[in-house]
Amino acid sequence: MTAQPAVRLERGGISARVLPDEGGVLLDLLVHGRPVLASTPWASGVQPEPRPARSEAEWVERWRGGWQLCFPTAGQPNPAAAVPEGFHGAASQAPWLEVARTADTVALGWADRDGLSAERVWRLTDDGAAVATRVHNAGPETRVLVIAEHLILGGDVLAGPLSLEVPPSALLRPLDYAGLPDGSPISWPGDPADRWHVVDAATPARVTGLAAVQPQRIGARGEHVSVSVDWQGSALPHALLWQELGVSTEHPWNGQVHALGIEPTSTPHGAGTALDDGLVRLPPGGTLEWGVALSVHWASRPPSDHPLSTEAP
């Protein structure tokens, strides 16, 4: 496939870039000139690679940041899968074909050799971005899937402390840092000493599952910003929270990555198809649809000397 250029979208005070050749990722999103998605320090050196990543380390090396779809699996690859898997799924960093575009929308398509396909339409809104996705199984066998919207906040959203707003009916599913189950479910926000509802300079590097998020909405609020992630579709009843506030010092993080993942998912874990908990089974001829919207409203800039401030003191 001939290399496809970045797609630039504009709508009023909202702008974004989409990279069709790298999983159709929404690489960056500016809301009234201010960045809201995470970007890795190694982003400028990434080279597109159509082959699925064989490990988490390989996937991270190719990850510029932003918001992409992990599909047809998410998390660790399952060596026993009927269709060979890569970390976070073959589609997450593969080329997607641009099929239509307007000033503020772009439609992309992806398909594998076994009849599974996905259509994805990015559009800018008055206060952020939204995506609508449709997947179809035209193959002869039922496909076992894990779906995750890898939506990673950063930039000016993390310029001050945040309070997370999660529906009280949700269950916190403890996970280790690889995303594997690590304890019994408890009601959100869990042990108060763990401070899962707070994102600030004291937050450790960690990830957790959130089971049965209903309504399908998670918010993040601070003195400087109000963020909401809203989604629809029975395929994504859960979510993952990933918190990395410059804490991990090993390569390639080097204490330089600031990221908050609010990720609607089909499974409340990162074990992929190896763990039969929330797996989607799409029969021949089956179709799934869902949508996710990210909204950002700025209040003010935080003091430059705040521990999470991105501005130089």
Side-chain angles (χ1 to χ4, degrees), residues 9-16 30 32 103-105 123-128:
L9 304 178
E10 298 278 350
R11 176 189 173 99
I14 315 297
S15 63
L30 300 180
H32 302 298
D104 59 3
T105 68
R123 65 179 177 87
L124 300 185
T125 65
D126 290 341
D127 52 12

Side-chain angles (χ1 to χ4, degrees), residues 155-211:
D156 281 4
V157 170
L158 299 183
L162 298 169
S163 176
L164 296 179
E165 301 170 343
V166 174
S169 59
L171 291 176
L172 190 150
R173 297 284 301 271
L175 306 174
D176 64 20
Y177 201 56
L180 305 181
D182 189 30
S184 301
I186 53 178
S187 297
W188 172 264
D191 186 336
D194 291 333
R195 302 173 72 247
W196 272 108
H197 63 294
V198 176
V199 180
D200 61 16
T203 297
R206 58 187 179 178
V207 63
T208 192
L210 294 173

Side-chain angles (χ1 to χ4, degrees), residues 9-216:
L9 304 178
E10 298 278 350
R11 176 189 173 99
I14 315 297
S15 63
R17 284 188 299 162
V18 174
L19 301 183
D21 280 353
E22 298 181 36
V25 59
L26 186 73
L27 179 63
D28 49 41
L29 176 67
L30 300 180
V31 175
H32 302 298
R34 300 171 67 177
V36 303
L37 296 177
S39 178
T40 59
W42 57 90
S44 62
V46 170
Q47 296 297 319
E49 172 57 67
R51 177 181 54 80
R54 293 166 292 189
S55 66
E56 180 175 3
E58 190 173 307
W59 194 92
V60 169
E61 287 178 356
R62 306 179 194 170
W63 181 53
R64 299 180 193 262
W67 172 5
Q68 58 270 104
L69 176 67
C70 295
F71 181 81
T73 189
Q76 306 298 324
N78 178 7
V83 176
E85 298 178 347
F87 183 82
H88 273 352
S92 67
Q93 293 180 333
W96 288 58
L97 179 65
E98 180 186 333
V99 296
R101 189 197 312 188
T102 67
D104 59 3
T105 68
V106 62
L108 305 170
W110 171 88
D112 69 10
R113 297 179 178 179
D114 297 282
L116 186 67
S117 63
E119 302 168 4
R120 200 152 162 88
V121 181
W122 289 107
R123 65 179 177 87
L124 300 185
T125 65
D126 290 341
D127 52 12
V131 67
T133 305
R134 180 181 185 272
V135 302
H136 178 68
N137 181 13
E141 305 292 338
T142 294
R143 294 296 296 267
V144 179
L145 310 173
V146 176
I147 304 163
E149 291 283 352
H150 196 254
L151 193 170
I152 312 300
L153 299 168
D156 281 4
V157 170
L158 299 183
L162 298 169
S163 176
L164 296 179
E165 301 170 343
V166 174
S169 59
L171 291 176
L172 190 150
R173 297 284 301 271
L175 306 174
D176 64 20
Y177 201 56
L180 305 181
D182 189 30
S184 301
I186 53 178
S187 297
W188 172 264
D191 186 336
D194 291 333
R195 302 173 72 247
W196 272 108
H197 63 294
V198 176
V199 180
D200 61 16
T203 297
R206 58 187 179 178
V207 63
T208 192
L210 294 173
V213 181
Q214 196 61 241
Q216 293 169 299

Side-chain angles (χ1 to χ4, degrees), residues 145-148 234-239 263-268 277-280:
L145 310 173
V146 176
I147 304 163
S234 59
L236 304 177
H238 312 298
E263 309 173 45
T265 60
S266 59
T267 56
D277 179 3
L279 299 182
V280 175

